[in-house]
Amino acid sequence: MATLKEIASRAGVSVYTVSKVLSDQTESARISAARAEAVRRIAQEMNFRPNGVARAMRQGRTLQVGVLVPNNPGNRFAHPLAYETILGINEGLQQAGYLVALARIDDVRRGLEEQSRMFKERVLDGMIVLDSMPADVEQRLEEIIPKCVWCDSNMWREHGCIRRDEEQAGRLAGEAAVSLGYRQIAMVTYSPEYRSHFSASERLAGVRAMVEPLGRPLEILIEPGVADMPRRRQLAEQLHPELIVICHSIYQAQALRSMGEEVEKIAGRDYGLICCDDMHQLDRLWPGLSRVTFDRYGMGLEAARMMLKMIASEKTACVSRRLGGELLLGTTTRARDGSGTGRNGAAAAPAGE
Amino acid sequence: MATLKEIASRAGVSVYTVSKVLSDQTESARISAARAEAVRRIAQEMNFRPNGVARAMRQGRTLQVGVLVPNNPGNRFAHPLAYETILGINEGLQQAGYLVALARIDDVRRGLEEQSRMFKERVLDGMIVLDSMPADVEQRLEEIIPKCVWCDSNMWREHGCIRRDEEQAGRLAGEAAVSLGYRQIAMVTYSPEYRSHFSASERLAGVRAMVEPLGRPLEILIEPGVADMPRRRQLAEQLHPELIVICHSIYQAQALRSMGEEVEKIAGRDYGLICCDDMHQLDRLWPGLSRVTFDRYGMGLEAARMMLKMIASEKTACVSRRLGGELLLGTTTRARDGSGTGRNGAAAAPAGE
DNA sequence: CTGAAAGCGCTTACAG
DNA sequence: CTGAAAGCGCTTACAG
C-alpha cells in the first residue's frame, strides 16, 4: 500500500514531483529526466498503484458509471439479451478508463436508496438505464443521478436515448411473412397487460402495418404459461404448413419450437416461424431461425459513447438514436407456392442510421 | 451537491453533529432528539446524499468488489451462463452495501493494467474471478487485488474457491444414459485443445466412469464449426434411436438439436439427448431437455457470501465449496426396451454440499 | 452533550 | 526546475 508520500521520502523529492512523474507530466512540470527515472524506479519497486478513491475525491469525478437493470421481485431470471448490451456498454466505458458498476432493482416495492448504495450515496458520474422502469422510478433517477442515458427504455426524447427501431423489426418480419406466401399469419406475443415495454406495441404495430392493409387478418396468440400443458399442446396442434407464426421475442420463438417438437412438428417443414428479434450466437445455436437481426452489443457500445459525451458535456452529440436491423431468412420459413419469391428473395435492405 | 459542512452551517451545529445524526449514531453521541430532528430535516431539504468517495477514503475501504469475466479478443460472445452467476453475485453483494464493478479482459495480449482501471488503481476491496484465466494472469491478480474469490475457475485450493461438482454432473448423465438402455453412447464436447476449463475434463471423466466400466465404448464427437456444413450434416445423419448423445454444454445441446432438425430428426424420438449442464429458464425455452440441473445464480450468491466473509477476515468460513446438481429427465431421452427403467426412473438424489 | 481539528491520499495553484 | 501547502468531504479521537 505505498503512497506518493512514501515514494517521495525514499526518492528524496517532494510529493509534487512524484505525482507529476507518475502521471506523465514531466515536461509541463519540467522535471529532469534523471529524477523522473529515479522516481519511476522506486515506484515500481514499491509496487505502487495510485489510490483511485483519493484521486476521485480530489478531481471531483469518480470515473464510474452505473448500469441499471430491472428485476422482478425474487426472480432469478437472467435476461441474456440484457447481458449482451451490458458487455457492449462495458467495452465502451472500460477502454475510456471508466468502471462499470451493476445494479439490479426491484419494481417499486422499496425505495431506490434501500436497494443499492449507488442511490444512497454519490459514487457515479452517470448511469445507463437498461430496459424500462416504472415512470416514477425513471423520474427519481433523474433527480438522483447527474447524467442518465436511456437504453432500450420507454423513455424517449430528443437527447440521451438509444433504442432499436422496433417498428421496423415488426415491419420486416410482417413483410417477409406476406411475401413468402403463407396463407395464414399469426403473432405470438405477451398478453396485453404485459406489453408495457415499448417494443411490444411497436413490433406488433409494425407487423400489423404490413399485414392488415393487404386484407390479411393477423391472429394474436399468447404464449401459454410454462405449466399450462393443455394450452401448450393446443397451440402446437394449431400449427400447419400454411401458417406462419411471427414471434415477438427469441424467448417465444424458442418456446414455440419446443411446443411444436412435443407433437413432432418442425419449424419450416410443418409451420413457418419468424422472429422479430435476434440474439448473439444464434448462428451457432439455431442458425436456421428466420429473424430480424439486431446487434445489441453494438447498441451497448453506442450507449457508452453517448454517456462519455454526456459527461464531457457535448450535449449536441447526444441526440437520441434509433438503430436498425435486417431480415435474415433461414430454414424455419419457406416460400409457399405462388408467392413468386425465392428462398431468400424477401431480404430487405438494412435500416438507415 | 450539499455537504455536511453546508448542512452544519445552516443548522447552526458542527459538522460532527451532522455526521453523527446522518449516520444514525445519535445515542452513542448523545445528541438531543430535537437537534437530530432539525438536522435531518435540513439534510432532507437540501437533498443531501453523502459523498461515497470521501467516505471510502476516510474509512480505507471502497465497498466495491470487482467481477472479472474472460473474453476472447474481439469476441462479442455474451456468455449467458456467466450472466446468471454475475446476477447471483450482485444480489449477495448489493444487499450488503457493496457495489459490483464489472471487468472483462482479453487473454494475455495486453497487461491487466492497460485493460481496466480496476487493475491500474486501487479501487476494490476484493474481486471475484469468474471462469478460468491463464495461469500467469491468475498469479498477477493475487498480487494486485487484496482478496480474491475463484468462482467456476481452474484455481482450486483449500480456501476461497467455489465451483460446481462437474464430475458428478458427468456421472449423473452417464449413469442415466446407461440405465435408460441406449445401445450406443456418444459424447459431444470440445476438441482436446479447447478443454482448458476444468469442467471439460471433469464432465468427460464422470461420464467415462459410469459408461466404460460396463464395457460400453464412449464415442467422442467434436462439435463442428458453424460454417462446416458437411460435418454438421454428417453428424446429424449419424443420429439414430439407439444412440444417446451426452452433450457437454447447453450450447452443444442446442447446436445438436438444430443440426438434427435440418435432417428432420427430433431429440427423444430419433435419438437420445442429455446434457451435463443447465441454464435458467430452460423450463420455459426447452422444458423437454434431459439434463443435470445446476443453479448458477445460487453459486454466485455463495461466491458473494464467501467474498464478504473474506473481507471480514473470517478465513475459516471461506473453505472452498463444490456444489451439486441433480438429474432431470425430460422428453429428449426415452427408456429403451429392456432397460427396466421407467420414464423418470433414473432420477438421482441431489449431490451433497 | 457538543465542537475544533486531524487526517485519509491525491492534485495543483502559488511561491520561490 | 522544485517544494510547501491547501483542499476535496467525510469520520472520529480528543478536549472541553
Side-chain angles (χ1 to χ4, degrees):
Chain A
M1 303 298 102
T3 64
L4 292 191
K5 200 171 160 189
E6 286 163 27
I7 295 171
S9 80
R10 278 225 210 171
V13 298
S14 73
V15 168
Y16 167 86
T17 305
V18 177
S19 175
K20 285 294 182 186
V21 169
L22 296 183
S23 50
D24 284 325
Q25 300 180 55
T26 45
E27 313 91 79
S28 70
R30 292 188 299 180
I31 293 164
S32 66
R35 278 203 149 183
E37 192 41 51
V39 167
R40 266 191 277 264
R41 209 199 57 240
I42 291 171
Q44 176 84 36
E45 280 170 18
M46 299 178 76
N47 194 21
F48 174 74
R49 289 167 57 235
N51 183 320
V53 163
R55 180 171 277 176
M57 162 116 95
R58 174 61 224 236
Q59 307 205 343
R61 57 174 195 176
T62 59
L63 288 177
Q64 297 201 140
V65 168
V67 171
L68 186 62
V69 294
N71 185 20
N72 298 321
N75 186 350
R76 297 190 164 195
F77 177 40
H79 194 336
L81 296 183
Y83 189 47
E84 287 181 24
T85 317
I86 291 173
L87 290 182
I89 291 172
N90 186 62
E91 169 158 339
L93 291 174
Q94 180 170 305
Q95 67 188 25
Y98 282 79
L99 243 49
V100 170
L102 206 64
R104 195 163 184 230
I105 60 161
D106 284 350
D107 298 82
V108 214
R109 295 184 311 160
R110 293 175 299 155
L112 291 174
E113 284 82 354
E114 286 89 72
Q115 295 197 56
S116 167
R117 193 168 63 90
M118 207 178 270
F119 304 113
K120 192 159 56 193
E121 302 186 354
R122 273 176 291 142
V123 281
L124 301 180
D125 288 344
M127 169 171 277
I128 297 177
V129 183
L130 257 195
D131 212 324
S132 279
M133 305 283 157
D136 55 331
V137 171
E138 293 185 341
Q139 198 192 328
R140 234 16 230 102
L141 285 173
E142 295 230 291
E143 293 165 17
I144 293 182
I145 306 289
K147 321 258 180 182
C148 286
V149 164
W150 304 90
C151 181
D152 188 35
S153 159
N154 283 353
M155 175 77 80
W156 184 253
R157 53 192 181 198
E158 206 183 338
H159 294 282
C161 304
I162 184 166
R163 54 159 72 166
R164 186 183 188 207
D165 186 342
E166 300 288 8
E167 200 175 322
Q168 183 223 24
R171 283 197 309 270
L172 289 177
E175 185 184 29
V178 169
S179 66
L180 284 166
Y182 282 91
R183 285 218 300 270
Q184 199 182 335
I185 303 178
M187 181 164 185
V188 174
T189 183
Y190 297 102
S191 60
E193 64 269 32
Y194 292 111
R195 290 184 202 154
S196 56
H197 190 264
F198 75 97
S199 65
S201 47
E202 287 204 359
R203 288 181 199 166
L204 183 55
V207 170
R208 284 217 158 99
M210 299 309 293
V211 171
E212 294 184 339
L214 302 175
R216 317 282 296 271
L218 178 71
E219 187 184 0
I220 301 297
L221 305 171
I222 306 301
E223 183 192 345
V226 169
D228 190 350
M229 298 315 281
R231 284 206 49 234
R232 294 171 71 88
R233 188 165 193 104
Q234 185 196 340
L235 182 53
E237 299 286 5
Q238 284 177 42
L239 303 172
H240 63 85
E242 289 303 324
L243 167 70
I244 184 167
V245 181
I246 301 174
C247 284
H248 168 77
S249 74
I250 55 150
Y251 304 126
Q252 288 154 333
Q254 289 175 272
L256 185 67
R257 177 196 208 185
S258 293
M259 289 180 234
E261 254 183 13
E262 301 279 328
V263 297
E264 303 191 349
K265 286 180 178 171
I266 294 178
R269 185 188 68 176
D270 303 311
Y271 62 101
L273 173 59
I274 186 167
C275 184
C276 295
D277 203 0
D278 191 18
M279 181 173 81
H280 193 66
Q281 291 266 326
L282 231 42
D283 61 339
R284 175 183 177 196
L285 304 182
W286 195 3
L289 178 64
S290 295
R291 60 195 184 268
V292 182
T293 64
F294 186 56
D295 178 12
R296 278 197 167 62
Y297 191 99
M299 176 170 71
L301 204 50
E302 285 304 319
R305 296 207 178 110
M306 196 179 273
M307 183 85 255
L308 292 173
K309 286 172 183 163
M310 203 174 263
I311 289 172
S313 298
E314 301 172 25
K315 185 136 194 231
T316 55
C318 301
V319 175
S320 293
R321 299 182 58 188
R322 208 185 280 267
L323 308 174
E326 54 190 286
L327 183 67
L328 180 76
L329 288 183
T331 56
T332 63
T333 48
R334 293 184 189 174
R336 311 307 303 165
D337 292 342
S339 69
T341 308
R343 167 78 169 277
N344 283 297
E353 266 241 332
Chain B
M1 303 299 101
T3 64
L4 294 191
K5 200 171 160 190
E6 286 163 26
I7 296 171
S9 79
R10 277 225 211 173
V13 299
S14 72
V15 169
Y16 166 87
T17 306
V18 178
S19 174
K20 286 295 182 188
V21 169
L22 296 183
S23 48
D24 285 324
Q25 300 180 57
T26 44
E27 313 90 80
S28 69
R30 291 186 301 178
I31 292 164
S32 67
R35 278 203 148 185
E37 193 40 52
V39 167
R40 267 191 276 266
R41 210 199 58 240
I42 289 171
Q44 175 84 36
E45 279 170 18
M46 299 177 77
N47 194 22
F48 174 74
R49 290 166 55 236
N51 183 321
V53 163
R55 180 172 278 175
M57 160 117 95
R58 174 61 224 236
Q59 306 206 346
R61 57 174 195 175
T62 59
L63 288 177
Q64 297 202 140
V65 168
V67 170
L68 186 61
V69 295
N71 183 20
N72 298 322
N75 187 348
R76 296 190 164 193
F77 177 41
H79 195 337
L81 296 182
Y83 189 47
E84 285 180 25
T85 317
I86 290 172
L87 290 182
I89 290 172
N90 186 61
E91 170 158 338
L93 290 174
Q94 179 171 306
Q95 66 188 28
Y98 281 79
L99 243 47
V100 170
L102 206 64
R104 195 163 184 231
I105 61 162
D106 285 351
D107 299 79
V108 214
R109 295 183 312 159
R110 294 174 298 154
L112 291 174
E113 284 84 353
E114 285 88 73
Q115 295 197 56
S116 167
R117 194 166 64 90
M118 208 178 267
F119 304 112
K120 193 159 58 193
E121 303 186 352
R122 272 175 291 142
V123 280
L124 302 180
D125 288 344
M127 169 171 278
I128 297 178
V129 184
L130 255 196
D131 212 323
S132 278
M133 305 284 158
D136 56 331
V137 171
E138 293 184 342
Q139 198 191 328
R140 225 34 218 98
L141 285 173
E142 295 229 294
E143 293 165 16
I144 293 181
I145 307 289
K147 320 258 181 181
C148 287
V149 164
W150 304 90
C151 181
D152 189 34
S153 161
N154 283 353
M155 175 77 81
W156 184 252
R157 52 191 180 198
E158 206 183 337
H159 293 282
C161 303
I162 183 165
R163 54 161 68 167
R164 186 184 188 205
D165 186 342
E166 299 289 6
E167 200 174 321
Q168 182 222 25
R171 283 197 309 270
L172 290 178
E175 184 185 31
V178 168
S179 67
L180 284 166
Y182 282 90
R183 285 218 301 269
Q184 198 183 335
I185 303 178
M187 180 163 185
V188 173
T189 183
Y190 296 103
S191 60
E193 64 270 32
Y194 292 111
R195 288 183 203 154
S196 56
H197 190 263
F198 75 98
S199 65
S201 47
E202 287 203 359
R203 288 181 199 166
L204 182 55
V207 171
R208 283 218 158 99
M210 299 309 292
V211 171
E212 294 184 339
L214 303 175
R216 316 282 296 270
L218 178 70
E219 186 184 1
I220 302 296
L221 304 172
I222 307 301
E223 183 192 346
V226 169
D228 190 351
M229 298 314 283
R231 283 203 53 233
R232 294 171 70 87
R233 188 163 194 106
Q234 185 196 341
L235 182 53
E237 298 288 4
Q238 284 177 42
L239 302 172
H240 62 86
E242 289 303 324
L243 167 70
I244 184 166
V245 181
I246 302 175
C247 284
H248 168 76
S249 75
I250 55 149
Y251 303 126
Q252 289 153 335
Q254 289 175 272
L256 185 68
R257 178 197 207 186
S258 292
M259 289 179 236
E261 252 182 15
E262 299 280 329
V263 297
E264 303 190 348
K265 286 180 177 172
I266 293 178
R269 185 189 68 176
D270 302 312
Y271 61 100
L273 173 59
I274 186 167
C275 184
C276 295
D277 203 0
D278 191 18
M279 181 173 83
H280 193 66
Q281 291 267 323
L282 230 41
D283 62 338
R284 175 183 176 197
L285 304 181
W286 195 2
L289 179 65
S290 294
R291 59 194 184 269
V292 182
T293 63
F294 186 55
D295 178 12
R296 278 198 166 61
Y297 191 99
M299 177 170 70
L301 204 50
E302 285 304 319
R305 294 205 180 113
M306 197 179 273
M307 183 86 254
L308 292 172
K309 285 172 182 162
M310 203 173 264
I311 289 171
S313 297
E314 300 171 24
K315 184 134 195 231
T316 55
C318 301
V319 175
S320 293
R321 299 182 57 188
R322 207 185 280 268
L323 309 174
E326 55 190 285
L327 183 68
L328 181 75
L329 288 183
T331 56
T332 64
T333 48
R334 292 184 190 175
R336 312 306 303 169
D337 291 344
S339 70
T341 309
R343 166 78 169 276
N344 284 297
E353 282 234 333

